Amino acid sequence: MATLIIAEHDNSILKPATLNTVAAAAAIGGDAVLLVAGEGCQAVAGQAAQVAGVNKVLLADNAAYGHQLAENVAPLVAELAKSAGFEYVLAPATTTGKNLLPRVAALLDVGQLSDIVSVESADTFKRPIYAGNAIATVKSLDAIKVITVRGTAFDPVAAEGGSASIEAVTAVHDAGLSRFVGEEVAKSDRPELTAARVIISGGRGMGNGENFALLEKVADKLGAAVGASRAAVDAGFVPNDMQVGQTGKIVAPELYIAVGISGAIQHLAGMKDSKVIVAINKDEEAPIFQVADYGLVADLFDAVPELEASL
Amino acid sequence: MKILVPVKRVIDYNVKVRIKSDGSGVDLNNVKMAINPFDEISVEEAVRLKEAGVATEVVVVSIGSRASQEVLRAALAIGADRAIHLQTDQELEPLAVAKCLQRVVEEERPQLVICGKQAIDDDCNQTGQMLAALLGWPQGTFASGIAPQGDLLSVTREIDGGLETLELKLPAVVTSDLRLNEPRYASLPNIMKAKKKPLDSRPVAELGIDVAPRLNAVNHAAPAARQAGIKVADVAELVEKLRHEARVI
């Protein structure tokens, strides 16, 4: 029994989401093989070989895989899965994994399990549906199980301590159907949202983008990441990669502080697995208080600076 | 160009779902249903492309029970020209839906298919990618902006770190993200006009596609409920609780 895991990386650094996915593979059991597909990504393969519990690293280094276009990477993954007899193909449920894996599944003519939160047995998994309001236990009937893994549901394996061999994959698939033009990456010195231990998020109640500076001051003292609700993103206060929720990022930090967020179903779907939730809102009827461990009914413009001062 | 937009009838996004007591699924009896919000955005985008003179015809398609015709009428009221209904009372998985859509694409020969990025009931986020794979077409997932230029399509995608722009060769499949546009409200005259637009209905069984489930839902359960929390009186008490009771700061 062997699992092929698609490594998440930017051609120079292996992304932490990969470590959570390796943990899910460990829960399934059997050999774990990491595929690093990219361009000039030898350094990533080196990091992947260090990951605890990885038996082998496959390195597909070619210009065609440089930006991990699904049209080029999916045939490579499907071919590897078939020729090497992998029973499982796993990827983190990040935008890259969500973009790629269904294409792989269709090429293999198998169904796909999205966003699993637990491994019940070799063919049965749990996954949230209806914005996290129901948990379905699903048994896969396919020979090859193609799965994306919700990172926050699995504790990451150690990034070091492994000693896997690295094997080059020479197959090149260039569909010639798509081309990378450019990207705009939001700059931030704070921890990444999905990996942060503490997150402070603002909603429509923040009033405008400048007021997010209040949250950033608290974030700097706590080493926290700053998030936002969809209302704050839609109002143009902050960029959309800060959005926490069903359609944004799913997070589960130790501490989540929701400021001026009412707590719509879609927002709760993204953060209700946090260990401790704090809500600061002036509306004591706001639904966020139903999930908050500690609620403070107060004007955020008084409470947040006071919070910062007392840290 | 001709644009095909698949739409799904789902539980209204404001409804708090109830799980059936036997764990067989979610109770959909007497629950308000609506067009999947991402599909509404897809229809809006297709109609805007038509209004801009880029698209010549917008065809919407839905797979499901007879009631799916409601969401097709809703899409026609937004501005789609024609609707196709593939009738089945069985709930199809994304792979089966993609195979049915593949057949429709082969018949209709659109240059562009715009799907929603995910349905808010099964939260799968698979159908568009699977359809693109089956057709051998490029995919532009999680699109927040699209611009056709001749036989190419420029797609701006929402990725984890920000935005990415790709150029796809047409024909292509695009899946729409929330920020692609703000769908219009259908006006009463347009809702009335939509009733007269063509809607072709036929059974899924006629397509001769294997739609057998690949997954078997063993059980459905409510997520673990959170313990009721407490309200604190002021910031000092909050910080004190976080330091000494929860020990998270």
Side-chain angles (χ1 to χ4, degrees):
Chain A
M1 197 160 83
T3 301
L4 180 64
I5 302 160
I6 317 300
E8 173 111 356
H9 67 91
D10 60 0
N11 289 322
S12 56
I13 292 167
L14 183 73
K15 295 284 178 77
T18 313
L19 304 177
N20 306 77
T21 309
V22 173
I28 294 169
D31 282 355
V33 178
L34 264 180
L35 170 66
V36 176
E39 182 184 14
C41 55
Q42 289 87 350
V44 178
Q47 294 158 34
Q50 303 281 311
V51 173
V54 172
N55 301 80
K56 190 159 74 171
V57 174
L58 298 176
L59 172 62
D61 196 329
N62 191 283
Y65 306 133
H67 296 285
Q68 290 161 48
L69 298 168
E71 294 79 6
N72 299 348
V73 180
L76 170 72
V77 176
E79 184 185 273
L80 285 171
K82 260 195 257 183
S83 65
F86 286 102
E87 278 178 66
Y88 299 88
V89 178
L90 264 57
T94 54
T95 48
T96 314
K98 288 173 175 176
N99 182 46
L100 173 67
L101 234 53
R103 196 166 175 115
V104 172
L107 293 177
L108 293 170
D109 193 29
V110 299
Q112 193 211 288
L113 282 144
S114 296
D115 242 346
I116 62 158
V117 293
S118 83
V119 176
E120 299 296 297
S121 73
D123 62 359
T124 306
F125 308 87
K126 283 190 177 170
R127 58 176 301 262
I129 54 175
Y130 289 91
N133 288 299
I135 306 292
T137 306
V138 185
K139 184 181 161 90
S140 167
L141 309 173
D142 283 311
I144 303 178
K145 292 155 184 49
V146 177
I147 298 168
T148 61
V149 175
R150 179 170 291 189
T152 56
F154 294 88
D155 290 331
V157 297
E160 293 188 7
S163 56
S165 58
I166 300 175
E167 194 178 294
V169 176
T170 49
V172 178
H173 297 268
D174 190 351
L177 293 169
S178 52
R179 193 173 70 84
F180 173 85
V181 178
E183 63 185 352
E184 280 174 56
V185 177
K187 290 258 186 305
S188 170
D189 299 331
R190 296 191 184 80
E192 248 191 291
L193 258 182
T194 48
R197 202 184 64 83
V198 179
I199 294 174
I200 181 163
S201 282
R204 199 193 301 272
M206 297 303 297
N208 60 47
E210 284 78 64
N211 289 336
F212 268 74
L214 295 172
L215 304 187
E216 285 164 12
K217 284 184 195 161
V218 177
D220 289 340
K221 287 206 167 168
L222 291 171
V226 180
S229 71
R230 184 182 161 202
V233 173
D234 280 354
F237 298 173
V238 290
N240 61 41
D241 56 298
M242 284 172 67
Q243 185 185 323
V244 172
Q246 185 184 16
T247 54
K249 294 199 173 79
I250 313 282
V251 299
E254 283 184 35
L255 174 61
Y256 188 91
I257 308 173
V259 181
I261 292 177
S262 66
I265 297 176
Q266 294 85 343
H267 186 72
L268 300 183
M271 48 61 86
K272 68 187 167 60
D273 293 326
S274 306
K275 189 164 161 248
V276 175
I277 298 174
V278 169
I280 301 175
N281 203 305
K282 65 181 175 191
D283 173 12
E284 62 179 312
E285 302 295 325
I288 190 77
F289 286 118
Q290 292 163 19
V291 299
D293 299 279
Y294 302 107
L296 176 62
V297 180
D299 189 324
L300 71 94
F301 296 104
D302 300 328
V304 175
E306 205 185 317
L307 175 63
E308 188 225 330
S310 59
L311 289 171
Chain B
M1 68 164 80
K2 188 193 226 179
I3 302 178
L4 184 76
V5 183
V7 296
K8 185 177 186 183
R9 178 177 179 264
V10 297
I11 194 164
D12 185 275
Y13 72 95
N14 281 312
V15 173
K16 181 112 178 72
V17 301
R18 288 187 316 271
I19 294 153
K20 289 186 193 165
S21 52
D22 64 357
S24 64
V26 166
D27 192 355
L28 295 177
N29 280 326
N30 301 315
V31 170
K32 189 182 175 209
M33 304 292 280
I35 184 169
N36 179 44
F38 293 102
D39 300 343
E40 199 173 17
I41 292 168
S42 306
V43 176
E44 173 69 32
E45 193 66 18
V47 170
R48 285 187 191 188
L49 286 171
K50 191 180 169 194
E51 288 166 349
V54 176
T56 47
E57 190 184 25
V58 177
V59 181
V60 286
V61 54
S62 191
I63 307 171
S65 69
R66 234 189 116 69
S68 302
Q69 294 189 6
E70 294 161 16
V71 297
L72 288 172
R73 291 289 174 203
L76 293 170
I78 295 172
D81 298 295
R82 185 157 66 78
I84 300 169
H85 174 222
L86 298 175
Q87 190 171 345
T88 172
D89 287 330
Q90 189 189 340
E91 199 156 319
L92 301 191
E93 289 168 6
L95 183 64
V97 170
K99 286 179 179 179
C100 293
L101 292 175
Q102 181 189 10
R103 195 62 64 85
V104 175
V105 167
E106 283 161 3
E107 284 172 13
E108 295 284 336
R109 305 202 162 274
Q111 282 288 97
L112 179 61
V113 178
I114 310 180
C115 304
K117 83 162 177 181
Q118 78 189 59
I120 60 163
D121 51 1
D122 61 20
D123 284 338
C124 276
N125 194 331
Q126 301 171 6
T127 305
Q129 294 90 314
M130 287 180 161
L131 175 63
L134 295 173
L135 292 165
W137 289 7
Q139 65 190 46
T141 51
F142 325 139
S144 58
I146 61 174
Q149 292 144 350
D151 56 357
L152 294 175
L153 183 73
S154 167
V155 180
T156 304
R157 304 179 54 226
E158 298 199 4
I159 56 170
D160 286 333
L163 297 172
E164 174 187 85
T165 304
L166 299 181
E167 200 171 74
L168 310 179
K169 276 189 186 156
L170 289 169
V173 176
V174 166
T175 75
S176 55
D177 213 321
L178 275 173
R179 267 160 294 275
L180 183 57
N181 60 50
E182 196 156 327
R184 70 194 69 181
Y185 288 100
S187 65
L188 187 59
N190 285 341
I191 292 170
M192 299 310 288
K193 273 183 219 155
K195 291 184 182 183
K196 297 212 173 87
K197 288 184 180 174
L199 190 157
D200 167 41
S201 182
R202 60 179 158 151
V204 163
E206 262 182 25
L207 302 177
I209 291 168
D210 174 19
V211 293
R214 306 302 187 85
L215 304 169
N216 180 7
V218 185
N219 183 43
H220 295 81
R226 290 190 74 92
Q227 297 268 328
I230 56 161
K231 291 240 171 88
V232 293
D234 52 31
V235 170
E237 190 188 345
L238 176 64
V239 172
E240 149 73 22
K241 295 273 188 200
L242 290 177
R243 279 219 171 100
H244 299 108
E245 198 176 275
R247 298 172 193 274
V248 285
I249 59 170

